[in-house]
Amino acid sequence: MPIGGPSDSSPSRSRRRDAARVKAKELRVSQKKKDRRNKVFLQGGMAIAAVAIVVLVALVIVNSIKPAGPGPKNMASDGALIGEGLVTARTPALQPDANPRPSEADPTGAVANIRLYVDYLCPLCADFEDANTEQIAQWVDSGAATVEIHPIAILANKSAGTKYSLRAANASACVANYSPDDFFAFSSALFVDQPKETSPGRSNDELKNVVTDSGVSEALSSINSCIDDGTYESWVEAATDRSTAGPIPNSSIESIIGTPTILVNGKPYTGSFDDPKEFASFVQQALGETYSTSTSTPRPTPATPAP
């Protein structure tokens, strides 16, 4: 009998080694499958999360952008044209992507056409309004002039995130649409106690108070809803873009670069904003240079201050 213990190559030990190798292989295969499965789940979860983020961002963007809608009635030129008796000219609503229709000059050649591009947060606009609104109202009421007011919102980012310029211009469009003959009074009232730049400006409820305080009495419910809904904000933005990109029809300027921009018979006024006599002189000069003299219509003259 050979000296020593059992041989290492005995059948039982060999079978155990083979079984161990098979088991180890099975464990490796199982682990690889598990790793692949986890990787797929991880990648799938990341993909789902990414899609969810994209969808969320898209929803935020879609909800923050108002679809383009028609403009207000009675502002087809992007402005409200006010004539004799302080009556606002009636026009249909400007449809989305349609070009504004410039107002035509008075055919008699005796009426001054004053055009104002204003931002309701602009302090210089308030200076001009405070100094000149009385005499402009007298000229327009008597038929000596027309005034076309274009509300724009170039200072929408100057009101602590509330976009007051945009909301105020929208409010003016709401009044033009529902109670057009009150537009002049409401537009003027927005400059009384004007909010300061960088302040939040008036809230929507405060804008609605200005509507009633300025004497608007028609369609108040519709005007209030229009203000709350921001119905014409997309139109205000489009009108602002049109005015700052140009061209400005029937004028000697290419575009609006600041407010107030004041045109009289197409000529820009560059004088003092708070001197009514200087502005009246400019209106008389522009009228004399552009149109023939009419003896049947009073010529614009400075308003006499109230005692």
Side-chain angles (χ1 to χ4, degrees):
M1 180 174 181
I3 298 174
S7 172
D8 289 340
S9 59
S10 63
S12 60
R13 182 165 297 190
S14 177
R15 283 194 298 271
R16 287 196 298 271
R17 284 198 301 267
D18 291 343
R21 284 196 294 268
V22 170
K23 185 64 176 178
K25 183 177 181 180
E26 290 176 350
L27 290 174
R28 287 195 299 271
V29 170
S30 176
Q31 186 61 45
K32 286 181 179 180
K33 289 181 179 179
K34 184 177 179 181
D35 291 344
R36 283 197 298 268
R37 192 163 54 246
N38 290 342
K39 184 177 181 181
V40 169
F41 288 154
L42 177 62
Q43 291 175 339
M46 293 175 63
I48 292 171
V51 170
I53 291 172
V54 170
V55 170
L56 180 61
V57 171
L59 287 173
V60 170
I61 293 174
V62 168
N63 289 331
S64 65
I65 299 175
K66 293 181 181 295
K73 291 186 293 186
N74 313 314
M75 300 188 82
S77 66
D78 278 349
L81 177 65
I82 300 127
E84 189 171 357
L86 296 176
V87 173
T88 297
R90 285 1 185 218
T91 67
L94 186 68
Q95 296 304 306
D97 301 322
N99 293 322
R101 296 190 294 277
S103 300
E104 296 182 1
D106 180 79
T108 68
V111 179
N113 170 242
I114 301 168
R115 257 187 294 168
L116 309 176
Y117 290 81
V118 298
D119 185 307
Y120 291 116
L121 191 61
C122 158
L124 292 178
C125 297
D127 290 344
F128 179 83
E129 179 74 24
D130 183 58
N132 291 282
T133 187
E134 182 179 349
Q135 66 179 2
I136 290 175
Q138 290 181 6
W139 299 339
V140 174
D141 191 31
S142 68
T146 62
V147 62
E148 186 172 69
I149 301 173
H150 292 251
I152 58 177
I154 62 176
L155 299 176
N157 63 341
K158 299 291 185 180
S159 51
T162 72
K163 296 186 176 181
Y164 174 70
S165 291
L166 180 63
R167 292 185 295 106
N170 170 73
S172 73
C174 296
V175 173
N177 186 83
Y178 290 106
S179 189
D181 291 337
D182 291 316
F183 177 86
F184 183 84
F186 176 69
S187 179
S188 297
L190 284 173
F191 289 112
V192 177
D193 297 326
Q194 181 193 51
K196 295 185 181 297
E197 285 188 49
T198 72
S199 77
R202 294 180 174 101
S203 66
N204 284 350
D205 285 342
E206 288 170 329
L207 284 171
K208 288 183 282 188
N209 289 338
V210 177
V211 171
T212 53
D213 291 346
S214 67
V216 180
S217 58
E218 296 182 10
L220 285 176
S221 177
S222 296
I223 291 172
N224 289 344
S225 295
C226 181
I227 290 172
D228 285 332
D229 295 342
T231 302
Y232 298 117
E233 287 184 2
S234 61
W235 169 82
V236 172
E237 291 172 330
T240 302
D241 290 342
R242 284 190 286 265
S243 68
T244 55
I248 304 301
N250 303 323
S251 75
S252 60
I253 64 173
E254 293 183 359
S255 62
I256 303 303
I257 59 174
T259 54
T261 293
I262 304 156
L263 302 172
V264 180
N265 294 348
K267 295 182 58 178
Y269 174 64
T270 58
S272 173
F273 292 137
D274 57 3
D275 187 340
K277 291 184 178 180
E278 184 177 0
F279 181 62
S281 177
F282 179 80
V283 172
Q284 289 178 322
Q285 180 183 1
L287 186 61
E289 290 177 357
T290 310
Y291 299 117
S292 60
T293 301
S294 170
T295 58
S296 61
T297 305
R299 299 290 295 276
T301 55
T304 302

